Amino acid sequence: MPTKIILAGEGGQGVQTVAKIITITAQRSGRNSSYLPGFGVEQRGGVSLAYLQISSKPITYPRFTKADIVVAFCDRAIPTIKDFLSRDTLFIYDSSAISDKSLEKIKNLVSNYLAIPALALAKEKLSSKVANVVLLGGIITHLKEINYQEFEKTLLEEFATKIEKNPEIKDLNLGALKAGIEIAEKFNKEETPFSGIEPPEIKTNFTKEGISWTRFPEYCKGCGLCIVRCPTKALQFSKDSGFLGNPMPIVDMEKCLGCKTCELICPDAAIKVEKTP
Amino acid sequence: MNKKMLSGSEAIVKGAIASGAQMMTGYPITPTTEIMENWANEAAKNPVLKFLQTEDEMSAGFAMMGAILAGKKAFTASAGPGNVLMQDAFAMAENMRLPTVAFIGQRGGPSTGTVIYSQQELNLTCFGGNGEGLRIVYSTSGGQELYDYAIKAFNTAWKYRFPTFVLTDGYQNKTQSAIEIYNVQEKQIEIIPSTPYLLNPQKEKDAFVNFRNTYNLEQELSDVLLDHKKHFTEITPEVVEFEDYHTLDAEIVIFAHGIVAAAAKLAVDSLRNEGKKVGLFRPITLNPFPKESAINAASKKKSILVAESSLGQFERMVKSNIYPIDTQIFTLEKPAVGIMPEEIIEKINIILSEKGNNA
Amino acid sequence: MPETALPKSWNKESKPHKFCPGCGQALALKILGAAIDELQIQEKMIYATDIGCSLLSWSMFDVDTIQTHHGRTLPLSVGFKKAKPEAIVLSFTGDGGGYAIGAQHLLNTAMRNDPITVILINNANYAMTGGQLAPTTLMGQKTTTAPGGRGVVQGKPFKGPEMLAQITNEDAYIARGISSNYKQLLEMYKKAINNQIEGRGFSFVEVIAMCPVNWHTNAQESLDFSEKEMTKIYPIGEIKCPQK
């Protein structure tokens, strides 16, 4: 029987990259593998799915109904992956990105799980961009038949062009992979409850005399146009996450002129600047 | 009775107006150009009637749908390669359940083919586009029916909201004949009113329509299609029409549609005069197909003769609908040419003699 | 504290919208929302949209909307306008829909001076399908289907507004804006829509828009490519303006 894995996250979270790395590595290790990406019509922003299978025998049909491993990257993935859970499924999730409220909805369906605070760990020690590789570390811990070295090799090949541009990317990715493996190996579900996060309170409104500057995390996709456009460099990325889990801007009110440049350039209507009396 | 000498194309336009048609879009192509020209003349006399000659058939199809969304009873007419291009629009109408009406004048194909006559647009009209063929297709058999079914097509389209077609050909469109032009009220034909899909004045304030044909998930689209199919199946008994001509005691039943059925009828009359028990079953709606009636007509007969001006398009339709009846099927398939009554008579006589010889 | 920064005419249920981070098309649609708000035409207009990324805007507005087939938004809009001349008809399409698969429709709509307003996004590539060559791709620009960059075999970048200016009546409004210049684009939109409202005829605004995902650019690089490189070939400004 093939090992069936489904991955789900936001478009742009690196779901497909993880799927690709696992598939290629499995093939290299002499296994048969198959990977079907599942998108909506959007390039980014829709729930991104990947159906993966690894087997000793050739794989003929790319889809399946129940998965051996389900990996959830974000809150919005939960309704999508729900139907793939069975009693024997290992549910791997980002415990620093998925809320308790979402997990509550599938609590009765999950018996075996692995909680990895991928986004928090990546943000704190590496870069939020490698959160997906932290989860990859968690997944490969449960793919014993594939050699770890092979994963490392594929990972570096996948990012070769980017590494060439910026050599730091190599260590960031390898660090993320190792961090994921470390958590997964030490994980003991008796000690770690099936829980996620309480969505953090994000300060949205900043004021000074005459100016009110507001950001809307439910809309911000973290593109950074406001930051590069600000004439006084009053904006920079913060640790707070917006809609896709990307970092969102924060304002230094001392520098803010209230000129609305940030508001006007925002494609998501996630910033509002107002004159106050 | 008010009978007028009219061409089929003129009868179509008169029927469309009688049925409340308000706008036509189109691109000239033989043998449907005269429908456009007639409509353009009517529109020049009556400002209520609108007309748009577009740059191609895709544009004609989509402009028609734009007018329908605005609440007009709009229609188009096309043929052959134009019908091919127009499938782009009809697929959208099928997806979104828009009440389009199109008059298809079949001409020889594939490709540019010939310009007057054929029956080769059966597959395309009934099942064209990247969908399931949830369309209503009437196949007429002469001038009077072009008037009758022009009236009916708009009512059917607006009542059931499936793309509706009148499948005709150049023989029918171009033939001048005496056609009864009646008043729909006198015949007690109820005209179904049209309503706008967008900017409907009846809508609540702050309620907006976001209307689409693209879906994100496989299941989403599948659910929509299953729902469409359910409606199509529900309305099928109300919509199906056929003509049964002496099949009850017949030993051989001819299956034919459109103008070929008119030739077949003459053949039946002639053969019956000689005492030969021959009948005709003619589906008027090719889609949905009058399946039960066709099965009844074909059951317990010695044989069936399928006659068509195409290479088996109609035969496949008949076979798939009357399955699993094991009555022997003969065919008279003459792609892109008319079929004369004499040819049918000859074929029937051969079948009868072969049957006799074998017996 | 404000409740929202969304234009009033945006459909709140469908937000955040479906466009990528940093998308210039989304920005063009935000500015369009502002134009609809200022002109107060939400209840009097229809919004018709194409295939390509433009289809993602099928639920963008609290405005009666129809999403059509690739390239066919203009004919549908023309049919609607013919049937209901008092409606304000706004057609939204990409450079594929307008300059390639539906080019004959754009050409004939402009030639007939059909009184509709067309907004066309020029992001120098086919974005929805992942960044292929478009009529608007710059010379030398690499795409997934021109891996060596656009060369002579693919022809020169297509200048839509300049071509339309040649074939339209004097009372047509033709302009090219850029989504990173909010105020200028807003004015162009309003003039274009007013051209229709006031019964002058066809109006057209091409909008240069960033596509960071397919261009593989960060925020600064996206702005630079659109504002500095693209505008060299596609100059910003009003090409035909009957209200002057």
Side-chain angles (χ1 to χ4, degrees), chain B residues 44-359:
Chain B
K45 287 183 278 184
N46 180 356
V48 173
L49 304 180
K50 308 207 177 207
F51 172 60
L52 188 66
Q53 177 173 333
T54 56
E55 57 274 16
D56 57 39
E57 285 86 352
M58 294 174 287
S59 184
F62 281 88
M64 164 179 65
M65 290 194 286
I68 288 166
L69 290 164
K72 292 270 187 252
K73 281 194 182 174
F75 73 102
T76 188
S78 196
N83 189 10
V84 171
L85 291 179
M86 237 179 233
Q87 295 303 323
D88 190 11
F90 297 139
M92 178 166 134
E94 206 179 302
N95 178 311
M96 304 177 98
R97 300 280 303 269
L98 297 177
T100 55
V101 172
F103 297 88
I104 303 298
Q106 296 173 92
R107 49 185 267 165
S111 178
T112 318
T114 54
V115 299
I116 303 295
Y117 175 78
S118 191
Q119 285 195 318
Q120 292 169 283
E121 290 170 58
L122 179 147
N123 285 345
L124 184 63
T125 308
C126 293
F127 311 111
N130 57 339
E132 302 295 334
L134 300 179
R135 305 157 166 218
I136 296 165
V137 180
Y138 295 107
S139 177
T140 54
S141 188
Q144 182 63 50
E145 284 195 359
L146 287 175
Y147 182 71
D148 300 339
Y149 283 94
I151 294 173
K152 188 169 265 175
F154 288 93
N155 271 343
T156 299
W158 281 94
K159 187 170 180 188
Y160 303 112
R161 311 282 172 127
F162 286 105
T164 302
F165 299 83
V166 176
L167 191 64
T168 165
D169 55 65
Y171 289 177
Q172 297 185 63
N173 286 7
K174 287 177 183 289
T175 303
Q176 303 264 339
S177 63
I179 292 168
E180 186 201 347
I181 301 299
Y182 47 81
N183 184 307
V184 290
Q185 275 95 25
E186 280 168 20
K187 292 252 178 183
Q188 291 176 332
I189 298 170
E190 189 201 347
I191 299 296
I192 310 288
S194 60
T195 45
Y197 283 71
L198 304 179
L199 296 184
N200 186 338
Q202 310 292 320
K203 83 173 174 93
E204 286 169 38
K205 200 182 179 300
D206 299 329
F208 297 96
V209 180
N210 288 169
F211 202 18
R212 62 167 165 162
N213 55 61
T214 310
Y215 294 86
N216 227 4
L217 306 171
E218 289 173 9
Q219 197 57 49
E220 248 182 316
L221 176 60
S222 185
D223 290 346
V224 169
L225 295 177
L226 289 171
D227 191 48
H228 288 0
K229 174 68 183 180
K230 186 168 160 274
H231 286 148
F232 196 77
T233 307
E234 278 166 9
I235 66 159
T236 292
E238 290 173 43
V239 171
V240 286
E241 287 186 38
F242 61 91
E243 188 181 1
D244 185 311
Y245 194 65
H246 301 306
T247 67
L248 196 60
D249 67 340
E251 289 173 3
I252 300 181
V253 174
I254 304 164
F255 274 68
H257 76 96
I259 200 69
V260 174
K265 217 180 218 180
L266 293 175
V268 169
D269 289 344
S270 172
L271 288 159
R272 287 234 164 218
N273 277 339
E274 295 169 22
K276 292 168 182 163
K277 288 187 173 173
V278 179
L280 164 71
F281 184 86
R282 169 200 166 209
I284 297 175
T285 49
L286 293 177
N287 193 15
F289 194 86
K291 191 181 169 77
E292 302 304 321
S293 311
I295 289 172
N296 283 337
S299 297
K300 301 187 182 101
K301 307 296 181 202
K302 282 189 180 159
S303 51
I304 293 167
L305 171 66
V306 179
E308 58 180 307
S309 295
S310 56
L311 272 175
Q313 297 192 28
F314 183 56
E315 181 200 348
R316 277 196 294 277
M317 183 177 259
V318 170
K319 274 185 180 165
S320 71
N321 277 289
I322 65 170
Y323 177 84
I325 289 180
D326 56 359
T327 310
Q328 192 177 10
I329 298 178
F330 294 90
T331 60
L332 178 60
E333 294 173 353
K334 304 192 71 181
V337 292
I339 298 182
M340 301 301 128
E342 292 78 7
E343 293 173 285
I344 298 173
I345 293 167
E346 192 189 337
K347 182 77 184 181
I348 295 277
N349 282 329
I350 291 170
I351 296 167
L352 285 170
S353 63
E354 276 176 1
K355 285 253 157 194
N357 290 343
N358 293 343

Side-chain angles (χ1 to χ4, degrees), chain A residues 168-241:
Chain A
E168 280 177 23
I169 288 172
K170 181 180 172 183
D171 289 340
L172 283 178
N173 278 291
L174 290 179
L177 194 68
K178 280 177 188 139
I181 292 169
E182 201 174 312
I183 293 171
E185 280 178 344
K186 285 186 189 155
F187 187 79
N188 178 351
K189 78 174 184 182
E190 308 311 323
E191 291 164 10
T192 319
F194 186 59
S195 66
I197 46 158
E198 282 292 320
E201 273 293 311
I202 296 178
K203 183 173 158 64
T204 56
N205 185 244
F206 302 81
T207 54
K208 74 174 179 188
E209 212 187 324
I211 303 171
S212 159
W213 190 95
T214 311
R215 55 182 184 165
F216 297 88
E218 66 273 34
Y219 299 136
C220 177
K221 292 180 182 163
C223 70
L225 283 169
C226 53
I227 295 172
V228 300
R229 212 40 157 199
C230 178
T232 61
K233 296 193 165 51
L235 298 175
Q236 59 174 350
F237 279 120
S238 65
K239 287 205 183 306
D240 307 318
S241 298

Side-chain angles (χ1 to χ4, degrees), chain A:
Chain A
M1 284 289 279
T3 305
K4 300 173 187 121
I5 308 170
I6 186 153
L7 314 172
E10 297 291 353
Q13 274 190 322
V15 170
Q16 307 303 333
T17 310
V18 168
K20 201 170 145 191
I21 292 168
I22 297 173
T23 321
I24 294 171
T25 315
Q27 200 83 35
R28 278 195 172 151
S29 309
R31 313 283 290 176
N32 292 286
S33 60
S34 149
Y35 148 49
L36 171 70
F39 295 101
V41 289
E42 305 92 340
Q43 279 277 299
R44 291 283 185 277
V47 172
S48 174
L49 281 178
Y51 299 84
L52 265 167
Q53 293 181 74
I54 301 167
S55 178
S56 53
K57 292 183 185 147
I59 298 157
T60 50
Y61 188 69
R63 283 187 58 179
F64 45 83
T65 47
K66 298 290 174 194
D68 301 299
I69 300 175
V70 166
V71 189
F73 286 59
C74 67
D75 264 319
R76 290 206 307 159
I78 301 296
T80 312
I81 55 88
K82 202 176 162 200
D83 291 343
F84 292 88
L85 295 166
S86 75
R87 191 185 298 270
D88 306 319
T89 304
L90 170 65
F91 177 65
I92 302 178
Y93 69 102
D94 188 336
S95 56
S96 62
I98 296 176
S99 67
D100 274 334
K101 212 174 136 196
S102 290
L103 292 173
E104 192 61 38
K105 292 177 198 156
I106 52 165
K107 204 174 168 181
N108 299 332
L109 301 169
V110 174
S111 42
N112 192 13
Y113 62 87
L114 165 59
I116 301 180
L119 186 64
L121 188 147
K123 257 188 193 177
E124 194 184 323
K125 297 189 175 150
L126 303 147
S127 149
S128 65
K129 288 196 173 145
V130 294
N132 63 333
V133 182
V134 178
L135 283 171
L136 173 65
I139 301 164
I140 68 174
T141 312
H142 292 270
L143 300 175
K144 294 283 181 219
E145 69 272 32
I146 306 170
N147 188 319
Y148 167 76
Q149 301 301 330
E150 291 291 329
F151 274 110
E152 215 172 52
K153 209 167 127 193
T154 319
L155 181 68
L156 294 181
E157 274 173 20
E158 178 63 22
F159 293 111
T161 338
K162 286 184 177 166
I163 292 169
E164 208 172 293
K165 259 188 178 175
N166 177 6
E168 280 177 23
I169 288 172
K170 181 180 172 183
D171 289 340
L172 283 178
N173 278 291
L174 290 179
L177 194 68
K178 280 177 188 139
I181 292 169
E182 201 174 312
I183 293 171
E185 280 178 344
K186 285 186 189 155
F187 187 79
N188 178 351
K189 78 174 184 182
E190 308 311 323
E191 291 164 10
T192 319
F194 186 59
S195 66
I197 46 158
E198 282 292 320
E201 273 293 311
I202 296 178
K203 183 173 158 64
T204 56
N205 185 244
F206 302 81
T207 54
K208 74 174 179 188
E209 212 187 324
I211 303 171
S212 159
W213 190 95
T214 311
R215 55 182 184 165
F216 297 88
E218 66 273 34
Y219 299 136
C220 177
K221 292 180 182 163
C223 70
L225 283 169
C226 53
I227 295 172
V228 300
R229 212 40 157 199
C230 178
T232 61
K233 296 193 165 51
L235 298 175
Q236 59 174 350
F237 279 120
S238 65
K239 287 205 183 306
D240 307 318
S241 298
F243 166 60
L244 296 174
N246 293 340
M248 62 183 298
I250 193 165
V251 67
D252 176 353
M253 284 312 280
E254 281 187 20
K255 292 184 190 165
C256 180
L257 304 173
C259 68
K260 281 181 175 273
T261 303
C262 53
E263 178 184 327
L264 298 186
I265 199 73
C266 177
D268 303 302
I271 298 175
K272 185 91 182 161
V273 187
E274 289 177 314
K275 299 274 181 215
T276 52

